[in-house]
Amino acid sequence: MSDDIPPSTNAYKKSWFDKFNQLFQGEPQNREDLVDVISGAEQRDLITEDTREMIKGVLEVSDLRVRDIMIPRSQIVTLQIDCSVDELLETVISSAHSRFPVVNEDKDHIEGILLAKDLLKYGFKNSDVPFTLSQVIRPAVVVPESKRVDVLLKEFRSQRYHMAIVVDEYGGVSGLVTIEDILEEIVGEIEDEFDHSSVEDTEVKKISNTVFIVKALTEIDDFNEACGTHFSDEEFDTVGGLVSHAFGHLPERNETIMIDNIEFKVTNADTRRLIQLRVKLPDPDSQTSSDD
């Protein structure tokens, strides 16, 4: 009879035991149980850490509203409907964005959305055709602050647009949201090739004797040691905290402020935090000459 027992009996018994064990464990009953199952899968090397974080991101997105991830009104870069091509190009180049809300007078009067690529054929003296911004802008999509983020992502995909204007309950513009904002909630921050922080891992990078590239999360003590400064860490732990407090608001990219005769320029930031700063110390030669 032993010859009738297939060689895979042990594997069969193991599989049956697993099923029996799962029967008593039951299926996940709530979000916390499901997260535990996902974490357990990672511990058993069934999925990677990145996959676990992405799955958790998908679960969390279903709980978010547009107001939770939108770029606030104060940080929206807009274009005036009556701007010339040269004025438009100056803003497009300096901001490095690809899409811009076009307004009439103020941000509550959105006329449409300009794609930077639609402007290229009119710029740099490439066309003799009279230009008006109204002829190239596209319709703006408007969504309420309370809209669920996962629903908006489906609309982004199905209707093939990438930006929406966010309005409050009174119809005023409160912000904007892009498909990238949603994807970053799932996969983490998306950095492009121009983000210095993705290239250099050091907290403080010396460019010259007076210029440094500094991560915003650099601790004050480490910053003082690297740059020869003497900022106190009693009130703030990081350089980003120090600079944000000095601004009095969350600054945007390219905003500059002087603190103790030291120039801090924001080189990278998102809608929630500072990421990287360019620090310019006073020129010691100019200080010496002024002292004389």
Side-chain angles (χ1 to χ4, degrees):
M1 293 181 61
S2 60
D3 293 339
D4 295 332
I5 300 176
S8 60
T9 299
N10 291 337
Y12 174 81
K13 288 181 178 179
K14 182 178 180 181
S15 175
W16 178 87
F17 179 79
D18 288 341
K19 292 180 180 179
F20 185 81
N21 191 36
Q22 290 176 0
L23 179 64
F24 279 90
Q25 287 183 345
E27 298 295 329
Q29 300 299 310
N30 51 46
R31 175 73 61 82
E32 289 71 23
D33 289 348
L34 182 56
V35 171
D36 289 341
V37 170
I38 296 170
S39 298
E42 182 209 350
Q43 293 172 3
R44 295 192 301 273
D45 293 330
L46 298 178
I47 61 175
T48 64
E49 180 182 357
D50 290 340
T51 302
R52 182 203 67 192
E53 290 300 317
M54 191 177 301
I55 295 173
K56 288 176 64 177
V58 171
L59 295 175
E60 291 169 358
V61 159
S62 63
D63 291 333
L64 295 175
R65 303 288 175 172
V66 170
R67 70 171 68 91
D68 298 320
I69 67 168
M70 69 180 186
I71 299 169
R73 175 189 177 108
S74 61
Q75 295 186 23
I76 300 176
V77 179
T78 61
L79 302 172
Q80 286 289 334
I81 189 69
D82 57 354
C83 281
S84 66
V85 174
D86 291 340
E87 291 172 330
L88 295 171
L89 285 173
E90 183 178 348
T91 302
V92 168
I93 293 171
S94 63
S95 67
H97 296 325
S98 58
R99 291 173 173 82
F100 300 85
V102 177
V103 303
N104 188 353
E105 295 184 2
D106 58 39
K107 293 178 181 178
D108 284 324
H109 297 83
I110 305 292
E111 298 291 333
I113 302 295
L114 172 70
L115 272 60
K117 66 179 183 179
D118 292 340
L119 191 64
L120 294 179
K121 65 180 179 180
Y122 297 99
F124 310 106
K125 297 181 171 53
N126 287 332
S127 174
D128 295 328
V129 178
F131 170 82
T132 58
L133 189 50
S134 58
Q135 72 191 41
V136 295
I137 59 175
R138 307 188 184 200
V141 176
V142 178
V143 299
E145 291 181 348
S146 58
K147 193 178 190 70
R148 283 174 43 182
V149 170
D150 57 344
V151 174
L152 179 60
L153 178 58
K154 290 180 181 179
E155 293 179 2
F156 274 149
R157 294 180 58 196
S158 63
Q159 300 180 29
R160 297 187 178 182
Y161 58 87
H162 293 78
M163 174 184 287
I165 304 299
V166 184
V167 296
D168 59 24
E169 58 184 316
Y170 303 105
V173 173
S174 56
L176 67 79
V177 62
T178 68
I179 192 171
E180 184 178 270
D181 295 324
I182 301 177
L183 294 179
E184 286 186 341
E185 293 295 327
I186 299 174
V187 302
E189 185 178 350
I190 301 173
E191 298 176 339
D192 61 35
E193 65 271 29
F194 302 107
D195 287 330
H196 298 286
S197 57
S198 64
V199 178
E200 184 59 56
D201 292 331
T202 56
E203 291 185 332
V204 180
K205 180 181 179 182
K206 185 175 182 180
I207 304 300
S208 68
N209 289 335
T210 59
V211 177
F212 298 82
I213 299 297
V214 181
K215 287 189 176 181
L217 291 179
T218 302
E219 294 187 359
I220 296 290
D221 282 344
D222 294 335
F223 175 74
N224 286 336
E225 182 178 352
C227 300
T229 53
H230 304 283
F231 289 104
S232 171
D233 62 354
E234 292 183 1
E235 190 173 358
F236 309 102
D237 294 327
T238 66
V239 177
L242 171 72
V243 172
S244 294
H245 177 77
F247 272 107
H249 65 274
L250 182 61
E252 302 178 39
R253 183 180 293 189
N254 294 327
E255 284 197 62
T256 302
I257 193 170
M258 298 294 293
I259 307 176
D260 291 350
N261 206 29
I262 297 173
E263 180 185 271
F264 292 84
K265 180 179 181 180
V266 179
T267 57
N268 197 358
D270 59 24
T271 58
R272 291 169 288 277
R273 63 193 172 99
L274 292 179
I275 298 174
Q276 185 174 270
L277 302 158
R278 178 183 180 273
V279 179
K280 189 176 188 304
L281 304 178
D283 190 341
D285 293 335
S286 61
Q287 280 193 319
T288 302
S289 60
S290 62
D291 291 338
D292 294 342

